[in-house]
Amino acid sequence: MTKFIERDRPPRRSVWLTPLICLLVGGALLGISTNVAKYAGEIGLSPLAFLFWSIAGAATILLIIALLRHELPPLNKRSFEYYFISALVSVAGSNLFLFSAIPHVGAGFVALIISLPPLLTYLGALALGIERFQTVRALGVAAALAGAGILAARKFSAPDASVFWILIALCGPVLLAIGNIYRTLRWPKGASPNALAPGMLIAAVLLLSVTSLLPDFSLTLPLEDFLPFGLITLQAFIFAGQFQLLFLLQKTGGPVLLSLLGSIGAIVGVPVAIFLQGESPPDGLILGASLIALGVALVTWGGMKMMARLEQKFEVSNEA
């Protein structure tokens, strides 16, 4: 029976190739988007307006793709719940927090803290009983949280530090981790990634439009220059690719691998912020980033060991 399983199972390389490509490309797009958001603020675009019009553009792109593939977003009570809650925590809320904080704390700091969702996702999975306690992964969580603590403490102690905006920035990874777990647990039965991605983004556009009704929030764009429209178009394509790959990665790789998007985003986003945008490296960068990298590695390694054990048990049960 074992030989039959080994012959019929897809090669390990092919099983991991798709999620690996999604992880690397999607993470790179995430790192680039934080820097594009910083530049948008420098040319006078408000975080809400930039996010709203970029997400609207991305939703349009993904909806056209879904139409061409005949995979329209499902329209029922369960899918509407999925779209709006996913949009709130994974798109509208988290990105509004992060984009609003970038002018005050820097794109480099934001790019670093978006590497935290894998650890917060693991903690959430433990709390909900989705995963069992594992020493290696617990050590990884401790190391990464220590690294984030060092970065945050150095940021708090800076002479021009804004405690409010640092805390706002730190809310972003928390919402992203909640989104990783929610989308996995509540994935509508039979729905494809190509159908769910535009549905979530359309819901995000509606939520952001409601936010614009609050005082001091506006969707107005400066009309005297073409640059804002060009930047929004660029971000719309970045978002379209990022969220399409996010759903595909979630379907093929699961929530923990999905949450590593932030780590890849940090690898891309921090150097771009320092070398292309002229930001000073965040204080405590080497120590904090090293601890976060160690933590992510331990959490990932522990997860791979757990999957290997489950696969071995599956093979043994089939032999029996």
Side-chain angles (χ1 to χ4, degrees), residues 34-35 38 98 100-113 155 165 169 273 277 279-280 282:
T34 59
N35 284 278
K38 180 187 177 181
L98 293 171
S100 299
I102 283 174
H104 306 277
V105 301
F109 179 75
V110 168
L112 275 173
I113 63 171
K155 202 71 179 176
W165 287 113
Q277 302 231 52
E279 285 192 5
S280 299

Side-chain angles (χ1 to χ4, degrees), residues 27 47 88 169 221 227:
L88 178 63
L221 298 175
L227 183 58

Side-chain angles (χ1 to χ4, degrees), residues 36-121:
V36 175
K38 180 187 177 181
Y39 187 65
E42 292 176 350
I43 64 171
L45 282 169
S46 72
L48 179 62
F50 180 63
L51 183 60
F52 174 86
W53 293 109
S54 299
I55 292 294
T60 303
I61 293 168
L62 292 185
L63 188 58
I64 291 172
I65 293 173
L67 283 168
L68 294 175
R69 295 175 64 93
H70 303 289
E71 296 182 77
L72 289 176
L75 303 176
N76 53 58
K77 183 179 178 181
R78 170 69 180 279
S79 62
F80 282 138
E81 171 216 304
Y82 187 87
Y83 297 149
F84 278 95
I85 296 181
S86 296
L88 178 63
V89 294
S90 302
V91 186
S94 55
N95 281 289
L96 190 56
F97 281 149
L98 293 171
F99 282 16
S100 299
I102 283 174
H104 306 277
V105 301
F109 179 75
V110 168
L112 275 173
I113 63 171
I114 58 175
S115 64
L116 291 177
L119 317 156
L120 301 176
T121 301

